[in-house]
Amino acid sequence: MKQERIKVTLFVLCVLLCGVIYSKLYESGTLEMKEEIPQNNNEPKTEQTTNFININIAQKEELMLLDGVGEKTAERIIAYRQEQGMFENIADIQNVKGIGEKTFAEIAPYITVN
């Protein structure tokens, strides 16, 4: 029983000592707290698309790099181009089934027709 009490006391002292050392390092500026800025879910995700994608010539794989555009939607974009002709402006992509206002708002900064 006495040995266990000694072990617990030593453990508590170690934790306190670590706390003191940490606070001294933080106070001196050696350690810095990093503040994480939460991502706004409404902002376009740039990690998937970094260059403009020309929706008039892009292949299925390129179109699928856009957020909200999966395999079926990419196939519909290509079919629309073949049936209706080239897109005159990027807003015309909303005529494709599966691309509404929300998806268009997400991909608009990353697409072009030039």
Side-chain angles (χ1 to χ4, degrees), residues 26-88:
Y26 180 72
E27 188 177 280
S28 69
T30 304
L31 294 176
E32 294 180 13
M33 295 293 287
K34 292 185 178 178
E35 181 180 340
E36 288 192 28
I37 301 171
Q39 295 281 333
N40 184 347
N41 290 337
N42 295 331
E43 292 180 8
K45 297 177 184 174
T46 57
E47 62 269 6
Q48 290 185 347
T49 55
T50 55
N51 297 323
F52 286 106
I53 293 178
N54 186 333
I55 57 175
N56 281 328
I57 61 172
Q59 300 299 314
K60 180 168 73 171
E61 292 77 18
E62 291 176 283
L63 293 168
M64 289 173 54
L65 293 174
L66 297 165
D67 288 334
V69 177
E71 184 176 357
K72 294 288 184 188
T73 305
E75 290 171 356
R76 288 186 195 125
I77 292 170
I78 293 169
Y80 182 91
R81 276 193 325 226
Q82 293 169 347
E83 295 167 9
Q84 305 293 322
M86 299 295 184
F87 296 100
E88 291 183 23

Side-chain angles (χ1 to χ4, degrees), residues 68-69 73 90-91 93-108:
V69 177
T73 305
I90 63 170
I93 199 168
Q94 294 179 88
N95 296 328
V96 175
K97 181 181 175 186
I99 300 186
E101 291 180 20
K102 183 179 176 185
T103 303
F104 177 70
E106 290 180 17
I107 66 174

Side-chain angles (χ1 to χ4, degrees), residues 3-19:
Q3 287 180 340
E4 197 169 306
R5 186 181 267 174
I6 292 172
K7 288 179 184 178
V8 171
T9 304
L10 287 174
F11 176 75
V12 170
L13 288 173
C14 286
V15 170
L16 289 172
L17 182 62
C18 289

